[in-house]
């Protein structure tokens, strides 16, 4: 066999070998736990090695391969597969360098138009569509907003073109993909940060409080090591298997590289043995050393994360169980659950088990049975059961495989746990407090009802969860809650608002570090920057909702154990900070307006406290939902027949209703 024949045959053999190896890991879950752990990690390494060998071979023999008929799209397909492998490895390990490697390969394919001419071949066109969809995902996670717009427009144009040139091809799925991407990018861009979602050493650490954080000490200090993120809501915004809420939490639990961002350099190629600068970006060379300019070696590793899309409860518990088994002694696990809930599943758990209820039989294992027998009552002695209320982790038609009960979490409280539940039934998980096995759990439970301003028109289907938004982008959540839209023209106002918020967080951070009544559960988490930031944002969220919305407890989040009273919504430290932010953005908390109105008009002197409360509730009800007040005879319960009717006239003008 001549050398000219040997090169293409070797290339084809390498390509087939790489493809066979890839097939073994194609459907492996993209997280490092359970069956997809170390066993498949070995196979991922072998696939990487096979494709990098293939890539290097085509670089070294490019001219001979082109002469033998190698097409440009074939080079693009290899590069796309390598990018896919890097991205999958990022999801498995949470290491940012793999994400940047994927971006480098995808960007090179895009700039060099490797798939140009796919109009002639349906198979190549579908490879090109898959490439664009994957590049959009990587660009979204890297917050390349302008590039995302360009890629989405290109993908949409390709789908339209495919409908024209491949008339007998069903493109329904690709149309849905385009709709998903456009909906996702629109929601994401509406709250695109001037500051990154990731933890940034400049924006998220505060010089005034750093000495207190550095000196802070507790009996035990824990670091966030693993996180499980899952979200399910009907018609929720998602792209592929990443929902908007898990997308935000994913970034919130990572470090933002503080080094220089990626810059394109001239690509070098060889022609007739001479080294040339390829300014047309058409060569088969990709400078993989560029990733060094996009990462920061001084940063600690990101916590490992499992992003689970609509898992069965069995799959979720299997992942959590694996984490518990492998969790280091000085570490804590975070579980984030965003899903709708339901209550009143049954009057007695024991009755359901004895009656052979299929859902309960599916759910209970021996360890959970022991939990049930030992903890029939909560620590406060009420009759709430751990299996009366639940979350839906998937469509209800799938029955018990999608039902998660608070009691299902109890066996995993043998290890340090930080649980965040974002649900309309989140308060059902209060029963976990005091029922833990050996490690008291830290709980963040969302409000049961969303408290968007009625004029903003915001809802979960458009913007994701309000509670999650507060935990990931607090200032944007504040603006959405009070219907204060920040535009690019208001950058100075917005930046000043960020400064006010940072100042408040710094002050609260000092209080947390110096408080004498800080529960040990929270004290052992304060040294971790990700968890400390979540705690500060929770305090902010609770204070904002308490100040701007109804007093109904259903509209407020809960943390268990309780944080120090010095950081309660009505404290002299927290409330003034919220007022300063509100005044800066020219919005007024309705409670302060109402209270001021009552004082100015002498109405706080009414005989009974309950009378004042009825007035407050009536006015707030009128402010939020006018129809409620008009249909309610509240005025009959007040001293003075026309008092309530007289109150709102001038007051509502101040409220802007």
């Amino acid at each position: 066999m001549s050398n000219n024949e040997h090169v293409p045959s070797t290339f084809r053999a390498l390509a087939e070998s790489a493809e066979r190896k890839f097939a073994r890991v194609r459907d492996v879950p993209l997280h490092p736990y359970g069956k997809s752990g170390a066993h498949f990690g070995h196979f991922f390494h072998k696939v990487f090695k096979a494709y990098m060998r293939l890539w290097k071979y085509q670089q070294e023999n490019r001219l001979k391969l082109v002469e033998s008929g190698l097409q440009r799209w074939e080079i693009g397909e290899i590069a796309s597969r390598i990018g896919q492998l890097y991205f999958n490895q990022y999801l498995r390990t949470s290491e940012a360098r793999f994400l940047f490697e994927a971006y480098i390969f995808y960007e090179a394919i895009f700039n060099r138009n490797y798939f140009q001419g796919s109009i002639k071949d349906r198979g190549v066109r579908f490879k090109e569509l898959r490439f664009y969809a994957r590049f959009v995902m990587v660009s979204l996670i890297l917050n390349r907003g302008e590039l995302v717009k360009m890629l989405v427009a290109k993908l949409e144009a390709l789908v339209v073109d495919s409908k024209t040139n491949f008339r007998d091809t069903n493109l329904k799925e690709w149309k849905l993909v385009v709709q998903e991407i456009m909906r996702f990018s629109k929601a994401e861009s509406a709250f695109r940060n001037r500051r990154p979602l990731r933890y940034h050493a400049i924006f998220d650490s505060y010089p005034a409080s750093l000495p207190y954080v550095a000196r802070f000490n507790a009996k035990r200090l824990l670091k966030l090591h693993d996180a499980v993120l899952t979200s399910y809501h009907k018609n929720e915004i998602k792209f592929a298997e990443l929902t908007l809420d898990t997308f935000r939490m994913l970034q919130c639990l990572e470090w933002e590289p503080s080094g220089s961002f990626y810059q394109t350099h001239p690509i070098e190629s060889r022609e007739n043995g001479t080294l040339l600068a390829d300014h047309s970006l058409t060569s088969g060379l990709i400078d993989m050393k560029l990733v060094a300019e996009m990462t920061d070696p001084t940063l600690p590793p990101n916590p490992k994360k499992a992003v689970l899309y609509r898992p069965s409860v069995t799959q979720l518990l299997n992942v959590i169980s694996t984490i518990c088994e492998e969790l280091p002694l000085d570490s804590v696990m975070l579980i984030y659950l965003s899903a709708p809930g339901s209550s009143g599943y049954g009057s007695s758990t024991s009755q359901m088990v004895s009656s052979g209820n299929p859902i309960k039989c599916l759910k209970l294992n021996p360890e959970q049975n022991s939990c049930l027998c030992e903890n029939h009552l909560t620590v406060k002695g009420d009759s709430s059961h751990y299996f009366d209320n639940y979350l839906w982790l998937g469509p209800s038609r799938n029955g018990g495989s999608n039902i998660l009960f608070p009691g299902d979490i109890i066996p995993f409280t043998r290890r340090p746990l930080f649980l965040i539940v974002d649900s309309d039934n989140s308060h059902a998980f209060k029963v976990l407090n005091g029922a833990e096995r050996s490690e008291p759990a830290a709980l963040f439970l969302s409000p049961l009802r969303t408290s968007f301003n009625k004029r903003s028109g915001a809802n979960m289907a458009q913007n994701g969860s309000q509670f999650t938004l507060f935990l990931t982008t607090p200032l944007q959540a504040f603006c959405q809650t009070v219907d204060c839209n920040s535009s690019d023209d208001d950058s100075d106002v917005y930046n000043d608002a960020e400064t006010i918020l940072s100042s408040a967080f710094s002050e609260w951070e000092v209080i947390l570090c110096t408080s004498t009544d800080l529960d040990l559960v929270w004290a052992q988490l304060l040294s971790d920057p990700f968890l400390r930031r979540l705690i500060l944002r929770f305090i902010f969220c609770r204070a904002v909702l308490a100040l701007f919305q109804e007093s109904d407890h259903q509209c407020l989040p809960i943390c268990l154990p309780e944080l120090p009273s010095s950081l309660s919504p009505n404290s002299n430290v927290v409330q003034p900070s919220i007022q300063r932010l509100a005044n800066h953005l020219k919005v007024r908390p309705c409670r302060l307006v109402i209270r001021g109105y009552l004082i100015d008009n002498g109405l706080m002197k009414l005989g009974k406290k309950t009378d004042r409360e009825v007035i407050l509730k009536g006015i707030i009800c009128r402010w939020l939902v006018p129809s409620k007040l008009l249909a309610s005879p509240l005025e009959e319960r007040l001293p003075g027949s026309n008092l309530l009717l007289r109150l709102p006239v001038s007051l509502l003008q101040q409220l802007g209703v």
Side-chain angles (χ1 to χ4, degrees):
M1 180 183 297
S2 66
N3 188 46
N4 289 338
E5 295 175 347
H6 175 74
V7 170
S9 64
T10 302
F11 175 80
R12 299 302 174 190
L14 290 174
E16 292 172 4
S17 175
E19 183 62 30
R20 285 195 302 270
K21 288 181 173 63
F22 180 81
R24 302 185 67 175
V25 299
R26 186 190 303 273
D27 299 322
V28 174
L30 298 178
H31 59 75
Y33 308 108
K35 293 182 179 180
S36 61
H39 176 67
F40 280 103
H42 171 69
F43 287 113
F44 268 102
H45 175 73
K46 294 182 70 173
V47 177
F48 266 116
K49 187 176 179 180
Y51 270 99
M52 294 311 296
R53 183 182 178 188
L54 176 63
W55 182 256
K56 183 179 179 180
Y57 190 82
Q58 72 84 21
Q59 286 181 320
E60 295 173 345
N61 299 275
R62 179 70 185 278
L63 292 178
K64 292 179 181 179
L65 289 171
V66 170
E67 290 173 359
S68 66
L70 180 69
Q71 301 295 312
R72 287 183 55 76
W73 68 262
E74 293 182 89
I75 301 174
E77 174 68 1
I78 299 171
S80 180
R81 183 59 55 81
I82 294 173
Q84 182 183 355
L85 287 169
Y86 272 125
F87 181 66
N88 290 353
Q89 194 69 355
Y90 158 72
L91 293 177
R92 287 172 49 80
T93 65
S94 298
E95 292 187 35
R97 62 189 179 95
F98 292 124
L99 182 64
F100 290 125
E101 293 278 15
Y103 178 83
I104 290 171
F105 272 87
Y106 284 146
E107 186 192 45
I109 298 169
F110 177 71
N111 287 337
R112 299 172 189 183
N113 296 312
Y114 276 132
F115 289 104
Q116 191 172 23
S118 63
I119 189 174
K120 301 176 182 179
D121 189 311
R122 180 184 307 169
V124 177
R125 172 54 60 88
F126 276 91
K127 293 179 187 294
E128 185 176 18
L129 291 171
R130 286 192 290 271
F131 154 70
Y132 273 104
R134 291 170 182 145
F135 194 15
V136 168
M137 176 66 78
V138 171
S139 300
L140 276 170
I141 296 178
L142 284 174
N143 295 315
R144 309 284 173 141
E146 293 303 316
L147 179 59
V148 168
K149 292 180 183 178
M150 185 189 309
L151 295 174
V152 171
K154 179 65 175 177
L155 180 60
E156 184 180 18
L158 281 174
V159 173
V160 173
D161 182 77
S162 299
K163 183 179 180 181
T164 302
N165 291 286
F166 306 105
R167 295 183 179 276
D168 58 339
T169 302
N170 187 351
L171 295 168
K172 182 178 180 180
E173 290 187 3
W174 279 108
K175 292 178 182 177
L176 292 176
V177 169
V178 171
Q179 291 174 6
E180 273 191 0
I181 296 175
M182 295 180 70
R183 187 178 176 218
F184 191 104
S185 59
K186 179 181 178 181
E188 190 272 336
S189 63
F191 294 94
R192 183 165 293 139
N193 278 359
R194 292 176 174 86
R195 295 185 177 182
L197 274 73
R198 293 181 175 86
Y199 191 100
H200 197 292
I202 296 177
F203 299 135
D204 295 308
S205 60
Y206 314 109
S209 57
L210 274 179
Y212 295 90
V213 173
R215 292 196 301 266
F216 181 78
N217 193 22
K219 292 182 178 179
R220 181 173 60 165
L221 298 177
L222 302 176
K223 293 292 184 181
L224 178 61
H225 191 270
D226 298 85
V228 180
L229 313 176
T230 186
S231 170
Y232 166 75
H233 293 277
K234 188 177 181 181
N235 299 323
E236 67 184 329
I237 298 174
K238 72 177 188 68
F239 173 37
E241 296 188 352
L242 188 65
T243 68
L244 186 61
D245 288 337
T246 54
F247 167 78
R248 288 169 174 163
M249 288 299 298
L250 172 75
Q251 295 196 79
C252 181
L253 300 177
E254 292 190 349
W255 296 97
E256 176 71 18
S258 56
S260 62
F261 284 99
Y262 168 70
Q263 296 179 351
T264 303
H265 294 275
I267 308 298
E268 295 181 342
S269 64
R270 291 183 181 273
E271 183 175 333
N272 298 326
T274 305
L275 194 63
L276 298 175
D278 186 359
H279 298 286
S280 63
L281 298 177
T282 58
S283 78
L285 295 177
I286 295 177
D287 186 359
M288 291 179 287
K289 295 181 180 179
L290 290 176
V291 74
E293 300 182 11
M294 304 169 69
T295 56
D296 188 343
T298 64
L299 291 176
N302 291 323
K304 291 193 295 183
K305 295 174 288 294
V307 181
L308 306 179
Y309 177 69
R310 298 191 179 184
S312 68
V313 171
T314 303
Q315 292 170 333
L316 174 65
L317 298 184
N318 179 54
V319 170
I320 297 174
S321 176
T322 303
I323 293 176
C324 285
E325 288 292 327
E326 301 174 356
L327 192 68
L329 293 177
D330 60 346
S331 301
V332 61
M333 166 180 57
L334 183 146
I335 300 176
Y336 167 82
L337 305 172
S338 178
S342 186
S343 59
Y345 186 76
S347 59
S348 171
T349 305
S350 59
Q351 290 177 0
M352 288 189 289
V353 176
S354 62
S355 64
N357 184 288
I359 293 178
K360 293 307 301 170
C361 290
L362 173 68
K363 290 296 301 106
L364 292 179
N365 56 37
E367 192 169 31
Q368 289 169 311
N369 272 313
S370 67
C371 298
L372 179 60
C373 297
E374 296 171 21
N375 294 284
H376 221 35
L377 301 177
T378 66
V379 70
K380 296 181 180 180
D382 62 41
S383 58
S384 297
H385 297 117
Y386 302 119
F387 297 95
D388 276 350
N389 305 302
Y390 54 88
L391 303 183
W392 286 107
L393 299 186
S396 58
R397 63 178 178 270
N398 292 346
S401 63
N402 287 332
I403 293 178
L404 180 73
F405 297 90
D408 292 328
I409 304 296
I410 294 177
F412 307 110
T413 58
R414 291 178 171 86
R415 304 305 305 276
L417 171 65
F418 192 148
L419 178 64
I420 300 175
V421 182
D422 193 346
S423 171
D424 56 5
N425 196 31
S426 64
H427 292 190
F429 285 77
K430 289 191 293 184
V431 299
L432 298 181
N433 184 238
E436 300 93 339
R437 280 292 161 261
S438 59
E439 292 281 354
L443 306 178
F444 278 175
L445 308 178
S446 73
L448 301 183
R449 293 196 291 114
T450 300
S451 303
F452 291 123
N453 188 305
K454 67 171 186 176
R455 291 169 289 177
S456 68
N459 56 59
M460 184 166 185
Q462 294 175 335
N463 301 307
S465 163
Q466 182 189 45
F467 184 59
T468 299
L469 196 63
F470 266 106
L471 295 180
T472 55
T473 58
L475 185 55
Q476 284 84 346
F478 177 88
C479 292
Q480 183 191 68
T481 301
V482 302
D483 195 28
C484 174
N485 297 320
S486 60
S487 64
D488 293 336
D489 297 333
D490 301 328
S491 59
D492 291 340
V493 174
Y494 190 90
N495 290 335
D496 290 343
E498 287 280 16
T499 301
I500 294 172
L501 190 57
S502 295
S503 176
F505 285 172
S506 177
E507 184 179 8
W508 302 346
E509 200 168 67
V510 172
I511 293 175
L512 284 171
C513 292
T514 58
S515 175
T516 57
D517 59 345
L518 180 65
D519 193 283
L520 178 62
V521 172
W522 300 114
Q524 64 188 9
L525 302 179
L526 276 188
S527 63
D528 185 89
F530 297 111
L531 303 183
R532 187 171 64 251
R533 185 171 68 160
L534 286 174
I535 294 171
L536 294 172
R537 290 174 173 181
F538 176 89
I539 295 170
F540 176 71
C541 170
R542 184 176 60 178
V544 170
L545 296 182
L547 199 57
F548 279 84
Q549 303 297 337
E550 297 174 277
S551 59
D552 189 345
H553 72 280
Q554 293 188 347
C555 293
L556 299 178
I558 292 175
C559 70
L560 294 170
E562 291 288 345
L563 288 166
S565 58
S566 55
L567 293 172
S568 68
N570 296 321
S571 72
N572 295 329
V573 174
V574 174
Q575 194 172 93
S577 299
I578 309 301
Q579 292 179 32
R580 281 195 297 273
L581 181 61
N583 292 337
H584 176 74
L585 295 174
K586 299 180 180 179
V587 294
R588 299 191 67 188
C590 68
R591 292 191 175 285
L592 298 184
V593 174
I594 294 169
R595 184 173 296 277
Y597 182 92
L598 296 178
I599 293 174
D600 292 343
N601 290 273
L603 298 171
M604 292 297 287
K605 298 178 181 179
L606 290 173
K608 297 180 180 180
K609 180 181 178 182
T610 54
D611 294 334
R612 297 196 299 271
E613 290 176 348
V614 171
I615 294 175
L616 288 170
K617 290 180 179 179
I619 297 172
I620 294 171
C621 194
R622 172 71 178 271
W623 183 67
L624 293 171
V625 186
S627 60
K628 286 187 179 180
L629 181 62
L630 298 176
S632 176
L634 287 175
E635 62 272 13
E636 297 176 3
R637 298 161 52 191
L638 299 175
S641 58
N642 296 322
L643 181 57
L644 186 60
L645 297 177
R646 180 166 52 85
L647 278 176
V649 177
S650 57
L651 178 59
L652 293 182
Q653 293 177 353
Q654 298 181 51
L655 293 173
V657 179

